[in-house]
Amino acid sequence: MGKVVIMFAGQGAQHPGMGRELYENSPAAREVFECAEKIRPGTIEQIFNGSDEGMVQTQNTQPCVFCVDLAAAAALKEAGVMADMLAGFSLGELAALAFSGAVTYEEAFKLVCRRAEFMQKASETIDAGMVAVLKLSDDEVISLCAEFEQVYSVNFNCPGQVVVAGVKDQLELLKTRVKEAGGRAMPLKVGGGFHSPFMEIASVAFAEVLSHIEFKAPEIPLYSNVTAEPYEDNFRALLEKQIKSPVLWGAAVENMIRAGADTFIEVGPGKTLCGLVSRISDQVRVWNVEDLASLQKTVEGVMSGA
């Protein structure tokens, strides 16, 4: 058996009630929820019983998804599945950072709350959104974005899928151009134009917070969204840059496969990352953990080598 990667979900698949079964059945997962609740009272209620509308707001989405991501990973570890590598998509990278041991769970959750606050404020300064462009090459999407002043290619997810961020009126025009080019455009459930120049003020504010954090060397190699390579002694620079820079997800997955990874487990709401990995390589196994049934299925499958 090759190496195991645990992947931490980003925003987009959040929903009220996510993680409830893990909270109710896993002591390790419950501990993560309770840690978040002490720092941000009301988090558990918001995750389990909040509204869809409230969950889309960045200041709520990020702490809630972070909590469920980390709780799912803790439940997986509690069940005996260990990771050889880690990666997280956007917000998920902060949960991966905590799981790696580079910072404590408490420090990471506080960082996420400040990151969400800054990104929410940045989002309120401009009416921007994000769209996934399908069926076109990276170069084709980059070329289409170049036709507009405020549209940027920001997430290079897998072959045939690039997410772009832009002001909403220009995104509407981009959708037409994508269709004309033979592609498909799908709006995303996010509250702003993340990983783009729109997040410059959030990046600057987050840098100040990061300057007060002491990072440790990760106990498990953690791959960066910004470089697609493992973190070294560059946490502050990469985390500051990550907010306003493209996510090189596809390249990171390819690098992990080259390093020996053949099993990828997504933790947190949804199976988005599983789908991306499957499109990058048909030679690896993918699993996900978001509830009790998926946890049990993943543990059995990984342990048996299925």
Side-chain angles (χ1 to χ4, degrees):
M1 179 176 167
K3 296 180 179 179
V4 174
V5 177
I6 294 183
M7 311 179 290
F8 294 76
Q11 296 174 233
Q14 64 273 358
H15 60 88
M18 59 183 179
R20 185 190 296 271
E21 290 186 358
L22 298 176
Y23 172 84
E24 293 174 345
N25 292 278
S26 164
R30 189 178 308 114
E31 185 177 342
V32 173
F33 277 96
E34 291 174 350
C35 170
E37 184 68 21
K38 289 178 182 177
I39 296 169
R40 182 178 180 269
T43 296
I44 292 176
E45 173 65 19
Q46 190 168 62
I47 292 172
F48 294 161
N49 301 310
S51 66
D52 288 322
E53 295 76 13
M55 196 67 76
V56 173
Q57 296 176 17
T58 302
Q59 61 191 6
N60 298 328
T61 312
Q62 293 196 14
C64 291
V65 173
F66 172 93
C67 182
V68 177
D69 280 5
L70 198 53
L76 189 63
K77 181 178 179 180
E78 180 183 52
V81 176
M82 310 303 290
D84 299 295
M85 306 175 203
L86 303 173
F89 194 100
S90 187
L91 160 70
E93 190 162 274
L94 276 294
L97 189 76
F99 196 72
S100 78
V103 291
T104 66
Y105 287 6
E106 292 83 358
E107 287 172 327
F109 189 72
K110 290 177 182 177
L111 283 176
V112 166
C113 291
R114 297 307 304 278
R115 182 181 186 268
E117 172 192 339
F118 299 144
M119 293 175 74
Q120 176 78 35
K121 288 181 179 178
S123 297
E124 291 169 355
T125 66
I126 188 164
D127 190 21
M130 301 179 79
V131 169
V133 178
L134 312 178
K135 301 182 179 180
L136 298 180
S137 70
D138 291 0
D139 289 341
E140 286 176 307
V141 178
I142 292 171
S143 179
L144 288 176
C145 289
E147 298 178 12
F148 304 90
E149 290 185 3
Q150 291 184 296
V151 177
Y152 309 93
S153 303
V154 295
N155 298 346
F156 294 90
N157 293 344
C158 66
Q161 184 179 132
V162 178
V163 173
V164 304
V167 293
K168 290 184 178 178
D169 58 344
Q170 292 186 17
L171 282 181
E172 289 303 313
L173 297 174
L174 175 76
K175 291 178 187 178
T176 300
R177 291 291 293 118
V178 167
K179 186 175 181 180
E180 291 172 350
R184 180 183 173 199
M186 295 178 56
L188 301 184
K189 290 196 305 179
V190 295
F194 306 134
H195 300 290
S196 74
F198 303 134
M199 293 292 115
E200 176 66 32
I201 59 174
S203 176
V204 172
F206 196 45
E208 167 60 23
V209 175
L210 290 168
S211 69
H212 301 288
I213 302 296
E214 291 296 326
F215 294 93
K216 299 177 182 178
E219 297 168 6
I220 308 168
L222 168 62
Y223 281 70
S224 163
N225 286 178
V226 175
T227 65
E229 300 286 350
Y231 272 86
E232 294 176 351
D233 187 20
N234 50 359
F235 294 99
R236 294 184 184 88
L238 290 182
L239 290 171
E240 169 194 351
K241 192 174 181 182
Q242 190 235 41
I243 291 177
K244 61 180 180 180
S245 300
V247 174
L248 305 182
W249 183 257
V253 171
E254 291 170 354
N255 286 340
M256 287 186 282
I257 292 172
R258 278 192 285 269
D262 71 354
T263 301
F264 289 77
I265 306 171
E266 179 174 2
V267 293
K271 300 180 182 179
T272 300
L273 302 183
C274 289
L276 299 183
V277 171
S278 294
R279 293 192 62 179
I280 293 167
S281 173
D282 60 4
Q283 302 299 308
V284 301
R285 302 177 302 161
V286 295
W287 305 89
N288 82 297
V289 175
E290 60 179 330
D291 53 25
L292 192 58
S294 58
L295 172 63
Q296 293 171 341
K297 183 178 180 181
T298 296
V299 172
E300 291 171 3
V302 173
M303 294 298 195
S304 69

